[in-house]
Amino acid sequence: MAETEDKNGRSGIQVISRAATILRALKESQSGMSLGQIAVKVGLPRSTVQRITGALASENFVISDPKGHGLRLGPELASLAGSAQYNIVEHCRLLLTELTQQTGETADLAVLRGAGMVFLDQVPGTHRLTTVSKVGEVFPLTTSANGRACLAELPEDEALKLIRAEWERTGNRADPQDLLDALARVRETGLAYDLDEHTPGISGIGFAFRDWGGELHAISVPVPSTRLGDTRSRIERALRKTKKEIERSFAAGT
């Protein structure tokens, strides 16, 4: 009896592992995937993929692509992602508030999603002249402090792919090596900078971190460029303190 239970347990774990592999393959695809394509991608028999995706579809974790391109990730995953997003916002809210109290400037929380940085939360600064972005707004990766911070956390080939894709969309013909060199400095110092590069008159400093599931986020402080000279060192100290606190909290599994 115990041997049977142990065998069933191992089988169940294997199915979960395979289902997770299939979901990751669908996540990496920009369009739907057929059963055959999934099978090749994950290295499983087509019949096994069909059985697992059938179970995932019954729970709305995968759905049929409306344009007939096979299978795509389903709405139930978006619901779960929303719950995770809520948790990370709650987890970081006090740190953002403390960061604003220490600097007097706005503090932002954003997540790397696809080809941009999506704002999740913000605590406005206390100055009359302050910088504010909308929750849900998307910032580019290559010209924002939070985007550069996240790019620096990626393998160089993956970062280069995102850089080239963004510059192709914007018509930027600069040498990506210059930005790669800047990302190397971000890895050395732990902080990324946007000095009037995303929005004229506004600069920013930020750092990146990974949450419980390995997803890349960034906390940044935008500031009117006219005030940056007087506040830069204070913002850098506050961000480094926040970075240590957040890394300690995730390392502790809280």
Side-chain angles (χ1 to χ4, degrees):
M1 181 67 176
E3 182 178 347
T4 301
E5 289 178 352
D6 184 54
K7 182 178 179 180
N8 290 338
R10 290 197 302 271
S11 176
I13 291 171
Q14 183 182 57
V15 170
I16 293 171
S17 177
R18 288 175 170 178
T21 301
I22 289 171
L23 291 172
R24 291 191 184 99
L26 289 172
K27 175 187 174 184
E28 294 171 3
S29 174
Q30 297 299 315
S31 57
M33 298 178 70
S34 68
L35 291 174
Q37 289 171 326
I38 297 172
V40 171
K41 179 74 173 180
V42 302
L44 291 172
R46 189 181 185 279
S47 58
T48 300
V49 170
Q50 184 174 18
R51 186 174 67 253
I52 293 175
T53 55
L56 292 171
S58 69
E59 300 293 338
N60 279 331
F61 287 128
V62 300
I63 58 173
S64 296
D65 183 80
K67 296 182 179 180
H69 296 159
L71 297 173
R72 302 179 65 93
L73 296 179
E76 187 62 24
L77 284 174
S79 176
L80 292 175
S83 297
Q85 173 178 311
Y86 175 82
N87 288 336
I88 192 68
V89 168
E90 289 298 301
H91 186 83
C92 294
R93 183 69 182 187
L94 179 59
L95 291 174
L96 293 182
T97 301
E98 291 177 346
L99 189 55
T100 293
Q101 290 173 345
Q102 292 166 18
T103 64
E105 305 292 349
T106 298
D108 294 320
L109 171 67
V111 60
L112 174 60
R113 286 277 166 80
M117 298 299 300
V118 180
F119 281 80
L120 301 180
D121 195 20
Q122 182 178 77
V123 176
T126 58
H127 295 280
R128 288 187 63 188
L129 177 60
T130 189
T131 55
V132 178
S133 300
K134 295 179 180 178
V135 171
E137 188 173 352
V138 181
F139 269 26
L141 298 176
T142 63
T143 57
S144 64
N146 49 26
R148 289 177 173 179
C150 286
L151 284 174
E153 291 294 317
L154 296 173
E156 186 170 291
D157 59 339
E158 191 173 339
L160 183 58
K161 182 179 179 181
L162 290 171
I163 292 168
R164 284 175 171 163
E166 183 169 292
W167 285 2
E168 184 176 344
R169 292 193 300 273
T170 61
N172 190 333
R173 298 184 181 277
D175 183 354
Q177 187 59 50
D178 292 337
L179 181 52
L180 291 176
D181 292 342
L183 296 181
R185 291 192 292 274
V186 173
R187 286 189 286 273
E188 290 175 4
T189 65
L191 295 178
Y193 298 82
D194 156 24
L195 304 177
D196 284 313
E197 291 156 286
H198 176 236
T199 302
I202 299 176
S203 295
I205 309 174
F207 68 86
F209 64 94
R210 292 186 182 273
D211 67 5
W212 308 276
E215 194 168 30
L216 272 172
H217 293 75
I219 288 177
S220 58
V221 173
V223 58
S225 299
T226 54
R227 201 159 59 229
L228 183 63
D230 296 331
T231 62
R232 178 168 175 164
S233 60
R234 182 166 71 250
I235 292 171
E236 289 171 341
R237 286 195 302 271
L239 280 168
R240 288 196 170 96
K241 179 183 176 183
T242 303
K243 186 173 189 289
K244 288 181 179 179
E245 290 176 355
I246 206 162
E247 288 174 347
R248 188 184 306 118
S249 70
F250 281 115
T254 58

